[in-house]
Amino acid sequence: MKFRLPLTALMLGAALVGAPAFAKDKEPVTPTPTALPTVIDTDITHDPDNVLLLDLSDGGRVAIRLMPQWAPHHIERIKTLTKQGFYNGVIFHRVIEGFMAQTGDPTGTGQGGSPLPDLEAEFNSMPHLRGTVSMARTNEPNSANSQFFIVFYPRFALDHKYTVFGRVIAGMNYVDAIQRGEPPQNPTKVLQASLASENKPAPAAPVAPAAPAVPTAAQLNNSTSN
């Protein structure tokens, strides 16, 4: 299975399915759905068990506020995999300029996932704004597993088609710097994913190999040839 965001989703609306109408003496009363919270707490110290931290290979730390009220089962999955260390070392394998950055596949191909079963969709009314974090899936609605994406710019055509479960509250500049490509030639990697409640320090970013020393003029003049 390939966990991708079909680009056609940006242009196509959901199909409407008609159902036969039946005469009734009284129309049933539809309960009013509970309004979802829209205010995002940007303080990392508040409810740290619902703050996901991504330490990236470019040296930056991204903080994501997880919203269990929006998608409780998806939040449970993200937290379970994070505590297992599942996301440590995965790359951002699909990064499209002006659209989104996708990660969460241990194979780095967009076709992998975790050993856990796929999730049932929890589509909600939260919009895909800049910094929104949403679950990737195949064309089958109930196919989200471990992959997720972060939106660079608003993409309202994705609303109600993908499960939104959080939003970036710090480090969006590091998200903007993620290497582009499908996959990128030099992909940005998640060195460590953790919950703020775990108090894990950020790992040291990989050190680039030092450039070879350039000999000085004096060394060149003193060199001997065979």
Side-chain angles (χ1 to χ4, degrees):
M1 285 188 183
K2 203 151 193 176
F3 288 78
R4 298 171 66 88
L5 302 181
L7 295 181
T8 53
L10 302 179
M11 300 176 287
L12 300 178
L16 298 177
V17 179
F22 296 93
K24 292 180 182 285
D25 294 334
K26 207 171 190 181
E27 288 294 326
V29 177
T30 303
T32 303
T34 304
L36 297 178
T38 58
V39 177
I40 308 297
D41 189 344
T42 59
D43 190 329
I44 297 175
T45 65
H46 294 169
D47 191 16
D49 200 46
N50 281 311
V51 175
L52 174 65
L53 301 176
L54 302 179
D55 293 305
L56 306 186
S57 56
D58 60 7
R61 168 169 277 191
V62 179
I64 298 168
R65 172 66 64 186
L66 304 177
M67 298 294 290
Q69 306 94 322
W70 295 355
H73 299 299
H74 285 68
I75 295 297
E76 181 183 5
R77 170 62 56 84
I78 293 293
K79 292 167 74 170
T80 295
L81 293 178
T82 297
K83 291 176 181 178
Q84 291 176 355
F86 176 85
Y87 292 116
N88 298 346
V90 301
I91 67 170
F92 281 88
H93 63 272
R94 187 167 187 247
V95 187
I96 302 176
E97 179 64 44
F99 184 15
M100 59 87 211
Q102 185 172 329
T103 187
D105 174 14
T107 72
T109 64
Q111 302 184 52
S114 77
L116 300 176
D118 291 344
L119 294 161
E120 290 190 13
E122 292 180 297
F123 301 155
N124 51 54
S125 58
M126 294 300 106
H128 285 77
L129 305 172
R130 171 172 163 81
T132 289
V133 189
S134 196
M135 213 69 176
R137 62 173 178 81
T138 67
N139 289 330
E140 165 58 43
N142 301 320
S143 60
N145 187 284
S146 65
Q147 295 188 40
F148 59 90
F149 60 95
I150 305 173
V151 180
F152 291 131
Y153 296 103
R155 288 284 178 169
F156 301 129
L158 302 178
D159 295 355
H160 308 290
K161 301 180 181 70
Y162 296 87
T163 298
V164 176
F165 66 87
R167 194 171 301 163
V168 174
I169 57 174
M172 191 62 195
N173 55 312
Y174 298 117
V175 175
D176 290 334
I178 292 173
Q179 294 295 310
R180 271 57 167 171
E182 299 185 68
Q185 290 187 346
N186 184 28
T188 302
K189 182 180 295 186
V190 178
L191 297 179
Q192 175 181 271
S194 64
L195 300 177
S197 58
E198 297 179 289
N199 295 311
K200 290 186 177 181
V207 178
V214 178
T216 64
Q219 289 172 325
L220 291 174
N221 291 335
N222 292 332
S223 65
T224 59
S225 59
N226 295 330

